[in-house]
Amino acid sequence: MSRARALLSTWYLGIGAALAAAGAAAAEPASRSAVALAAAVLIVPAALVAGRPGGVRRSILAALTVAALTGVAGRLALDGRSVDNAPLPVALGVVGLALTAVVAAGAAADRQRWKALLGDAGIVALGSWVTAWVLISQPLADRVGERSLGVIVHSLQQPAASVALYLAAIAVLARPHRSPAVWMLGSGITAIASGALMATLADVGHVGDWASRWTLTLTSLGLFAIGAAVVHPTSAAAFRHGDEPRSPTARLVLTTSFLIAPTVSLAATGPDDTTDRVVRAVAALVLAGVVIGRVAAAVRANSRHRAELIHDAQTDPLTGLANRTVLIQRTNDLLRTSWNQDLHPTMFFIDVDRFKNINDSLGHAAGDEVLMAVARRLRDALPDDATVARMSGDEYAVLHPSLDSHAASMAQAEQLLALFREPLTLSSGDVFITVSVGAAAINLTTTTSPDDLVRHAHTAMYRAKDSGRNCVAVYDESMHERVAHRLAVETALYRALDRRELRLYHQPILDLRTGDVVGFEALMRWQKADGGMVSPAEFIPIAEETGTIVPIGAWALLEALTTLQQWIAEGVCSPEATMSVNVSPRQLSDASFPSVVSEALTRSGASPHSLWLEVTESVMISEPEVALATLRKLRGLGVRVAMDDFGTGYSSLSLLQKFPLQRLKIDRAFVQGLADNPNDRSLVRTIVAMGSSLGLDMVAEGVESVHQLQVLSDLGCHKAQGYLISHPVPPEAMRSTVSALERLGRFPGLRVDAALG
């Protein structure tokens, strides 16, 4: 369909150009009139083709059609007549002017951005009218002998054509990609305006009779070009209003050029009579007033636009609060001007606790509502001299310059916490939230820049997070040291695996009934290149938080299984020995983790039954569906799953029933009190009985005395690990460790303590 319309448009323009050329070559004026009338009439079927669904708006086509027919009819009615009050040409001329005004006003006012264009079009119209008065109306009135209505209407044709030509030029300049329809439309309007100008100059006598041959020819060419533009498949886009011109310089040149002609014409000619003198003076004053008003409007618009840009650059678009840039600027001003010993300026860094849960459960739209509600509460609760800013995401900062003491700062921080004890009202219902607040006061010795103060408050906020959330933490220099140390550990951890600084130590698991080593637990150790040791309690949480636990865990899994296979091959342990590897929540939530386990089993050659994956209760509580799906996939591989540190968390029976578990590991906290604490002994007895009834394997951790070992055996827990049996040892020391344990046999009382001591 588009190709057919493009071909039709090409043929339409080609045939029209041939007819116009034939009319121009003909000796009889009637031929040119017939061609012009045909071009105007053919606009009607072209409009019907273009007005189909998805094409040009029918209102535009109707106005275009009536304007074309009226303009040509008026021109034909005027030819051969004197320019006086003849009813037909005057009526048609008035209709044509009215339609031009309506179309021009619609083009200018259809979009807010085009309002300024309406003022420019007014300058063009006034400038063209002044020129027309001097060069056309006055000579035409002298020729007719009076200033009749026909003369006035005729003299207004050229200003109307100038406005149409100006709008066409702006429409072309406004479009970055000018389609064929745009070019044909602009060319058609230019040709018609040029024909109207030549006709007017010929009527007045400024040009010879030769111009009459080209007047209707140009009009015909213009109408055929507009008809071809309407038919072309790109017409719908061409007739849509575009943006303002991409080049303001082009628009300025166009507008200014229409002021040159009236200036030159007024300077080059003198008034004929009093009426002419008055009209010239009034026209010049009005034109000057319009130009001054347009310049003033442009200045105001520029100032308003500049103010909007500054506002947008300093304001958070979602909440309307100041942004980080403004906060830094005001902090810098405060640091330079407010070193008053009686004041205690403080910055509060506020973070919404568990905001991700809101986004995940209620959606991002509700999350945005929460952010806006938090902003309103902060803004309403703080004095005018305090700066409330949104830093990023769910983080806010408050700079309070007028606090006078540390106690006042703490009171203000507690007030910020109290703001959120009442629920936030959202469109979907009420939501309760809490916040963590970090406070940092300006200090002459530690605060040297705005970034320092923001960093200190941010550090304190994270301390509040670490302290359990929904609380306040005040910055002190020890926090900076801890943060710097953590950053150093975090940075070094990224390279620890590549530098081979990570190692696995192993702790044997003993069967108390046979005295045999039946398994091992792999425990990670980090010895830095400088010889310093980093505790697992320190670097494992950092690895979990940063995500480096995923590659480290994959390495540990393969390393542990490979080591087990090597021990079996070397006779260090029996072929039935197993390897236990701890799995973090981050690993378990990784969709590719089952594939990682499968690859480790394949590459090491280990049996799936020889691998125990130890998970904690927190994994099953925080994301139960994800954990359940992953554990089921692992069970499908033949791998067995143990619950580590059982008894320290929720210890819910539903977890044991729901999740595919085969082992419980009793936490060392209960084992340590077995000898002296009857309550711990009762708890362990209950755990062992419960596990046995569910068919679960039981292992006690942290065994450090023979008495504990004997009580565990009496309670029915027949597997144990701990310092009594062996400390975690490197792989190369495992042969001697296992040999020593085997020599002890079945742990005949205190002989165990003596042998292991």
Side-chain angles (χ1 to χ4, degrees):
M1 184 64 182
S2 296
R3 291 189 61 186
R5 286 185 60 177
L7 185 61
L8 177 61
S9 174
T10 303
W11 279 101
Y12 188 104
L13 184 59
I15 293 173
L19 289 175
E28 295 296 328
S31 300
R32 292 187 289 276
S33 300
V35 172
L37 186 60
V41 171
L42 285 174
I43 289 286
V44 177
L48 293 176
V49 172
R52 310 182 88 177
V56 185
R57 291 201 310 255
R58 289 181 173 83
S59 58
I60 294 179
L61 294 174
L64 188 62
T65 302
V66 175
L69 294 174
T70 304
V72 172
R75 183 72 251 168
L76 294 177
L78 191 61
D79 280 351
R81 290 172 173 264
S82 60
V83 184
D84 54 16
N85 286 326
L88 180 58
V90 171
L92 291 175
V94 170
V95 172
L97 288 173
L99 282 172
T100 302
V102 169
V103 173
D110 186 70
R111 280 174 177 254
Q112 183 73 18
R113 286 184 172 186
W114 285 71
K115 286 187 177 180
L117 185 58
L118 185 60
D120 292 347
I123 293 175
V124 170
L126 282 171
S128 300
W129 183 84
V130 172
T131 305
W133 173 266
V134 174
L135 300 180
I136 299 173
S137 298
Q138 273 297 100
L140 200 57
D142 292 341
R143 182 177 176 184
V144 174
E146 61 174 333
R147 293 188 178 92
S148 62
L149 179 61
V151 171
I152 295 174
V153 171
H154 186 66
S155 66
L156 292 176
Q157 298 290 335
Q158 185 55 38
S162 299
V163 172
L165 182 61
Y166 174 77
L167 292 176
I170 292 298
V172 171
L173 291 171
R175 303 178 189 279
H177 305 290
R178 291 154 197 153
S179 63
V182 170
W183 284 113
M184 287 187 284
L185 180 63
S187 301
I189 294 175
T190 302
I192 293 173
S194 301
L197 176 61
M198 292 183 66
T200 303
L201 294 176
D203 290 337
V204 177
H206 289 312
V207 296
D209 293 338
W210 60 269
S212 61
R213 177 181 297 274
W214 294 103
T215 298
L216 288 176
T217 300
L218 287 173
T219 302
S220 302
L221 279 173
L223 290 172
F224 279 123
I226 292 175
V230 168
V231 173
H232 200 274
T234 60
S235 57
F239 280 87
R240 278 201 306 266
H241 298 290
D243 294 330
E244 292 186 57
R246 297 299 176 97
S247 173
T249 304
R251 179 172 159 186
L252 179 63
V253 170
L254 281 172
T255 306
T256 305
S257 63
F258 282 96
L259 294 175
I260 297 175
T263 303
V264 173
S265 60
L266 288 174
T269 61
D272 292 341
D273 52 28
T274 303
T275 302
D276 189 17
R277 186 178 294 107
V278 171
V279 170
R280 285 170 179 251
V282 172
L285 289 173
V286 172
L287 183 59
V290 171
V291 171
I292 292 173
R294 179 68 185 93
V295 172
V299 171
R300 286 196 303 272
N302 184 59
S303 299
R304 185 169 55 252
H305 181 60
R306 184 171 178 271
E308 290 174 355
L309 288 177
I310 293 174
H311 179 269
D312 292 343
Q314 297 180 341
T315 306
D316 175 62
L318 177 64
T319 62
L321 297 177
N323 59 16
R324 181 186 179 89
T325 302
V326 175
L327 181 75
I328 293 296
Q329 178 183 344
R330 294 183 182 175
T331 304
N332 191 50
D333 294 340
L334 188 63
L335 288 172
R336 286 187 289 119
T337 61
S338 298
W339 292 108
N340 188 334
Q341 297 299 324
D342 297 329
L343 293 177
H344 194 76
T346 304
M347 179 173 289
F348 303 95
F349 209 100
I350 303 156
D351 183 88
V352 179
D353 296 330
R354 299 182 178 89
F355 180 72
K356 183 178 182 297
N357 293 345
I358 296 176
N359 272 339
D360 292 344
S361 58
L362 300 180
H364 288 277
D368 288 346
E369 287 189 69
V370 168
L371 295 177
M372 290 186 286
V374 170
R376 284 193 299 270
R377 288 203 180 176
L378 291 174
R379 189 168 45 225
D380 294 343
L382 291 159
D384 293 338
D385 63 342
T387 300
V388 183
R390 182 185 176 207
M391 303 300 284
S392 64
D394 60 334
E395 294 180 338
Y396 301 82
V398 174
L399 178 64
H400 202 311
S402 56
L403 297 171
D404 56 7
S405 65
H406 175 74
S409 297
M410 289 302 299
Q412 181 64 74
E414 293 295 339
Q415 181 185 354
L416 293 175
L417 279 183
L419 288 177
F420 303 100
R421 288 179 183 149
E422 296 296 325
L424 302 178
T425 302
L426 309 182
S427 59
S428 57
D430 290 347
V431 172
F432 283 91
I433 67 166
T434 60
V435 297
S436 299
V437 181
I442 291 179
N443 186 295
L444 285 170
T445 59
T446 61
T447 309
T448 60
S449 70
D451 287 332
D452 287 342
L453 188 60
V454 172
R455 186 172 63 254
H456 295 168
H458 191 257
T459 300
M461 182 273 293
Y462 270 110
R463 170 52 62 89
K465 290 274 189 188
D466 293 340
S467 299
R469 299 182 174 87
N470 192 26
C471 62
V472 177
V474 180
Y475 176 80
D476 60 55
E477 292 193 38
S478 64
M479 290 184 185
H480 176 72
E481 295 173 1
R482 285 191 292 270
V483 170
H485 176 71
R486 175 192 167 90
L487 181 60
V489 172
E490 181 179 324
T491 303
L493 185 58
Y494 279 105
R495 306 295 298 274
L497 195 59
D498 295 336
R499 293 173 177 171
R500 300 182 181 275
E501 295 177 355
L502 297 176
R503 296 190 66 191
L504 290 182
Y505 279 45
H506 302 82
Q507 188 173 44
I509 299 174
L510 207 65
D511 189 324
L512 303 184
R513 292 166 297 187
T514 64
D516 295 332
V517 175
V518 294
F520 309 89
E521 180 179 358
L523 301 169
M524 194 172 298
R525 297 292 183 264
W526 180 13
Q527 184 173 12
K528 298 171 71 174
D530 59 6
M533 296 293 296
V534 183
S535 168
E538 181 178 3
F539 75 81
I540 293 296
I542 294 177
E544 176 77 15
E545 183 178 332
T546 59
T548 54
I549 193 66
V550 174
I552 290 175
W555 166 82
L557 193 62
L558 177 59
E559 182 76 8
L561 290 174
T562 302
T563 300
L564 176 64
Q565 289 301 102
Q566 182 179 350
W567 287 340
I568 293 173
E570 294 175 354
V572 174
C573 59
S574 71
E576 289 76 24
T578 62
M579 179 64 72
S580 298
V581 180
N582 291 282
V583 178
S584 76
R586 188 69 170 265
Q587 290 175 277
L588 207 60
S589 62
D590 185 1
S592 63
F593 183 63
S595 300
V596 171
V597 174
S598 178
E599 181 181 0
L601 291 169
T602 301
R603 292 178 60 183
S604 65
S607 166
H609 195 70
S610 67
L611 176 61
W612 285 94
L613 294 179
E614 298 188 2
V615 298
T616 59
E617 295 172 71
S618 61
V619 173
M620 306 176 192
I621 298 298
S622 58
E623 296 186 31
E625 298 303 323
V626 174
L628 180 60
T630 304
L631 292 177
R632 284 176 175 170
K633 291 179 182 178
L634 293 171
R635 285 293 297 132
L637 297 175
V639 173
R640 291 181 289 182
V641 181
M643 181 182 287
D644 196 15
D645 301 333
F646 184 77
T648 58
Y650 292 92
S651 302
S652 170
L653 288 175
S654 63
L655 293 179
L656 303 181
Q657 294 175 330
K658 182 177 181 180
F659 287 88
L661 302 171
Q662 291 79 42
R663 171 180 283 180
L664 293 183
K665 299 193 74 174
I666 304 171
D667 188 73
R668 67 181 66 247
F670 302 107
V671 174
Q672 288 175 354
L674 279 177
D676 307 317
N677 192 330
N679 292 331
D680 285 349
R681 194 177 302 121
S682 298
L683 283 173
V684 172
R685 181 184 291 108
T686 302
I687 293 172
V688 172
M690 179 178 60
S692 299
S693 65
L694 293 173
L696 301 178
D697 191 49
M698 305 298 298
V699 177
E701 297 181 292
V703 178
E704 297 181 358
S705 70
V706 174
H707 193 181
Q708 293 171 355
L709 203 64
Q710 291 172 339
V711 173
L712 286 171
S713 181
D714 293 341
L715 293 178
C717 180
H718 302 301
K719 290 179 183 176
Q721 65 184 94
Y723 288 169
L724 174 68
I725 300 167
S726 172
H727 285 72
V729 297
E732 58 270 17
M734 188 55 69
R735 177 182 291 277
S736 60
T737 301
V738 172
S739 298
L741 291 174
E742 289 177 347
R743 286 196 299 270
L744 295 177
R746 295 179 176 272
F747 284 82
L750 294 177
R751 197 176 58 169
V752 175
D753 190 32
L756 295 178

